[in-house]
Amino acid sequence: MTDTPRLLFVGAGPGAPDLITVRGQNALQAADVVVYAGSLVNPALLENCKPGCEIYNSAPMTLEEITDVLIRAVNAGKSVVRLHTGDPSLYGAIREQMDILDQHAIDYAVVPGVSSFLGAAAALKAELTLPSVSQTVILTRMEGRTKVPTKENMAGLARHGASMVIFLSMSLLKALTEELLRGGYTKDTPAAIVYKATWPDEKTIHTTVGDLVDAAESHAITKTALVLVGGFLGDGYAKSKLYDADFSHGFRKADTP
Ligand code: SAH
């Protein structure tokens, strides 16, 4: 194995401080410099940092300011953590940081995290891949300042009837509802809004596609939430073959051959 790079992009998890990975926690405890995404990372995680650790909130910083801090720290021989909410690979804007680091020949690695969509599924006690309902999860967002490629338009994705998790779209619920309906979901398709999954003030709201706007309004939820849509939130499904008494597999023989 090669040495662990001095710079780690670490997934902080969805909110609860004990939902960071052990590897992420160890990196935080060892770090001399931490740059954390202040808008969503739970600051309680920073209590793990050692005394004297330099801590930067990236929320008011530009891309270049962030990478400057990272590059200087690595070049000074320090251990550095770039702490992102959930898992860094989802809407984390890590690629643009990595490209600049590559230009400066700075080595780094990524420590995955529990994404907020998994925190939301746990909060709902939901199975996203329910047999005979959906075996596919679509993670997406409405178009905001960040463009979404035309071929990934929401109605087109909804057409699959798969389990959907929609990030970054709480200010666009009316348009989201219209798109979901245009794609073929009905007004009474089950939906849920999960606000601040795994935080102490977490809220889970069971609703329908037709009532998404009202549900968010009546609970005054305008941000830091996910919308989940699909039959997996409903009642019907087929049981899995994995634990079916009549079904043999590598670890178990069927009762009835
Ligand atoms: N990388 C993150 C996503 C960052 S994008 C991840 O893997 O979760 C930010 C969006 O994620 C927010 O607008 C919101 O839609 C969602 N989000 C992040 N944390 C959340 C939480 N604890 N509960 C619900 N939604 C959350």
Side-chain angles (χ1 to χ4, degrees):
M1 250 191 51
T2 52
D3 287 346
T4 307
R6 275 202 290 267
L7 168 56
L8 295 176
F9 286 82
V10 174
D18 57 350
L19 284 177
I20 191 170
T21 63
V22 174
R23 189 183 295 184
Q25 171 112 306
N26 289 342
L28 259 189
Q29 281 166 350
D32 304 303
V33 176
V34 171
V35 183
Y36 74 103
S39 52
L40 282 170
V41 167
N42 189 340
L45 277 167
L46 304 172
E47 289 163 17
N48 293 309
C49 297
K50 63 186 180 191
C53 174
E54 282 171 54
I55 298 178
Y56 297 82
N57 174 1
S58 62
M61 296 165 77
T62 63
L63 170 63
E64 286 70 24
E65 286 168 347
I66 294 167
T67 50
D68 253 24
V69 169
L70 302 178
I71 292 165
R72 272 174 214 276
V74 172
N75 285 340
K78 296 178 174 168
S79 298
V80 188
V81 165
R82 173 70 173 117
L83 192 60
H84 281 270
T85 181
D87 182 81
S89 72
L90 293 168
Y91 309 109
I94 55 171
R95 173 65 187 270
E96 59 198 36
Q97 299 173 59
M98 291 172 171
D99 282 347
I100 294 175
L101 296 167
D102 289 345
Q103 284 159 19
H104 288 80
I106 302 282
D107 195 14
Y108 49 81
V110 180
V111 180
V114 176
S115 175
S116 61
F117 85 91
L118 299 169
L124 293 165
K125 300 182 184 147
E127 179 169 351
L128 292 163
T129 53
L130 205 51
S132 90
V133 175
S134 172
Q135 292 290 289
T136 304
V137 183
I138 295 177
L139 307 178
T140 188
R141 61 170 301 167
M142 288 290 282
E143 178 166 302
R145 267 172 302 180
T146 305
K147 297 284 166 217
V148 173
T150 321
K151 58 186 191 301
E152 294 174 19
N153 71 84
M154 189 64 68
L157 297 179
R159 215 154 277 141
H160 293 281
S163 303
M164 292 184 78
V165 183
I166 300 133
F167 287 73
L168 294 159
S169 302
M170 288 311 289
S171 60
L172 300 161
L173 279 189
K174 189 165 174 288
L176 170 63
T177 305
E178 286 163 9
E179 287 292 289
L180 293 172
L181 294 173
R182 203 159 67 81
Y185 284 113
T186 58
K187 284 189 171 170
D188 57 4
T189 301
I193 297 172
V194 181
Y195 170 75
K196 291 188 89 174
T198 81
W199 288 72
D201 47 347
E202 167 188 289
K203 281 185 202 161
T204 56
I205 301 157
H206 284 274
T207 180
T208 59
V209 168
D211 283 338
L212 275 171
V213 172
D214 285 353
E217 259 174 34
S218 62
H219 291 83
I221 297 172
T222 55
K223 57 178 183 164
T224 326
L226 292 165
V227 176
L228 298 95
V229 178
F232 75 99
L233 292 164
D235 296 329
Y237 65 97
K239 284 195 183 144
S240 107
K241 296 286 180 218
L242 193 56
Y243 303 109
D244 183 340
D246 295 331
F247 187 77
S248 297
H249 58 68
F251 296 96
R252 183 167 48 73
K253 285 264 174 287
D255 291 347
T256 46

